[in-house]
Amino acid sequence: MPGTLQRRTRFAAMAVVLAAISNAAASAPVHDRAGNRLEALIEQPAAQAGAEDASARFCTADRQWCVRTAREGDERASQLEIEHHLPGAAEPHTWFIPLDTAGADATGTDTPWPFIVRLAPGADAGQRPTDPQQAALENVLVGVQRSVTTMYSGGDAGASTLVLSRIRHMDDGIQIDPDVLTLPADGHAMIRACFGEQDTARRAGACHDQYSFAGVLRLDPDGQGMPVLRYTTTATRFPAGASRLQDSQARAPLRKQDLRTQTDRTCSYQRVLRFDGGRYQPDTPLPECSEFTAL
């Protein structure tokens, strides 16, 4: 398959993650029974994006909340910047969440999750401030997508992770819980290559193994209290039967019927995520899917 098409396929995988959520959130916020709402953020014009080492700024439609990522000196270190614009205030409140660096052998990119979950009053049961002014302020879930890529002699691989943080107002000020949920968001890999006509014939002309993974996070409309989230994933491999855990040379020669995209049943799954003990927990453990989500 031509290299340009391969690149388009990889970038399309991330688009699937965003577009699937966008279908639910872009036209109007999605509410649950408690009043929590998932809302798409709007990318601001480039002139307002800030420094060259920062991402675009994404804001809510009412511009009360804005987020962006920016590097802090070290080119491998970055932070998530959150702005809260209160009505009548001359300047926004700004907070910073440091982000870990990428692995030494990978190139990393951090971008804001272009959505926000605006929590209903009292969603943090038992933790609502006694100060009426603090209690009236909105608490939110914001996120960052952390992407890493690497090159192989026969192709490349990339993966992204979604990390959500909670911002809540307390009697003594703001509290940031920097990692209340971490999930695989996207993955792709193109490996193997043909070295000569014999390899090409053995692989029926399909010289690359390809792997893809896409996760979608939605708000459960029946949720109460802290938002209940639903996480759905799809993982595929090409050709059918390909495995990053096995030597492709040990396999029998590929046949025409093998030249198809195969959905992996184990790593295509659904989970319900509920807030418990300070973090979101899945209703059942996530399967081991590093074949699709690791470099």
Side-chain angles (χ1 to χ4, degrees), residues 17-183:
V17 180
L18 302 184
I21 308 176
S22 179
N23 289 337
S27 58
V30 178
H31 297 256
D32 65 11
R33 294 176 63 184
N36 303 302
R37 64 189 187 274
L38 173 68
E39 182 177 332
L41 299 177
I42 301 169
E43 183 175 350
Q44 303 303 297
Q48 301 180 28
E52 292 183 359
D53 59 352
S55 73
R57 179 178 280 107
F58 292 81
C59 298
T60 53
D62 60 12
R63 295 189 58 81
Q64 288 191 17
W65 292 94
C66 295
V67 295
R68 72 172 185 174
T69 53
R71 299 200 179 277
E72 183 69 16
D74 183 352
E75 65 177 11
R76 298 183 68 83
S78 63
Q79 59 190 9
L80 178 64
E81 299 181 4
I82 305 104
E83 293 179 357
H84 189 192
H85 298 254
L86 294 174
E91 296 293 333
H93 293 291
T94 305
W95 304 285
F96 305 90
I97 302 177
L99 303 172
D100 295 333
T101 58
D105 298 327
T107 301
T109 303
D110 297 323
T111 56
W113 184 50
F115 298 91
I116 188 171
V117 180
R118 305 176 82 158
L119 304 184
D124 292 322
Q127 300 174 1
R128 193 174 185 184
T130 57
D131 182 342
Q133 290 186 326
Q134 288 292 93
L137 297 176
E138 189 174 49
N139 299 336
V140 297
L141 299 176
V142 295
V144 62
Q145 290 185 181
R146 314 214 59 201
S147 302
V148 290
T149 60
T150 192
M151 300 297 296
Y152 294 120
S153 59
D156 62 0
S160 69
T161 301
L162 174 63
V163 182
L164 295 190
S165 299
R166 178 173 62 166
I167 298 176
R168 51 182 174 155
H169 296 84
M170 311 292 286
D171 281 322
D172 56 354
I174 199 76
Q175 177 169 323
I176 299 177
D177 302 317
D179 181 2
V180 297
L181 175 63
T182 298
L183 289 171

Side-chain angles (χ1 to χ4, degrees), residues 210-261:
Q210 301 171 59
Y211 303 84
S212 71
F213 179 93
V216 175
L217 192 64
R218 295 185 177 91
L219 182 67
D220 187 336
D222 293 327
Q224 300 187 53
M226 276 292 285
V228 176
L229 304 174
R230 290 187 174 273
Y231 177 57
T232 305
T233 72
T234 302
T236 65
R237 65 181 81 240
F238 175 88
S243 173
R244 297 179 70 180
L245 308 178
Q246 300 176 359
D247 182 0
S248 64
Q249 295 299 318
R251 292 187 57 189
L254 292 177
R255 302 162 298 172
K256 184 176 181 180
Q257 55 264 43
D258 297 324
L259 305 184
R260 58 184 174 87
T261 299

Side-chain angles (χ1 to χ4, degrees), residues 1-2 6 192-210 238-239 253-256 258-259:
M1 186 174 292
Q6 297 288 353
R192 317 293 187 204
C194 292
F195 299 97
E197 294 182 0
Q198 184 175 356
D199 278 353
T200 302
R202 180 179 178 81
R203 293 193 51 95
C207 292
H208 299 292
D209 289 351
Q210 301 171 59
F238 175 88
L254 292 177
R255 302 162 298 172
K256 184 176 181 180
D258 297 324
L259 305 184

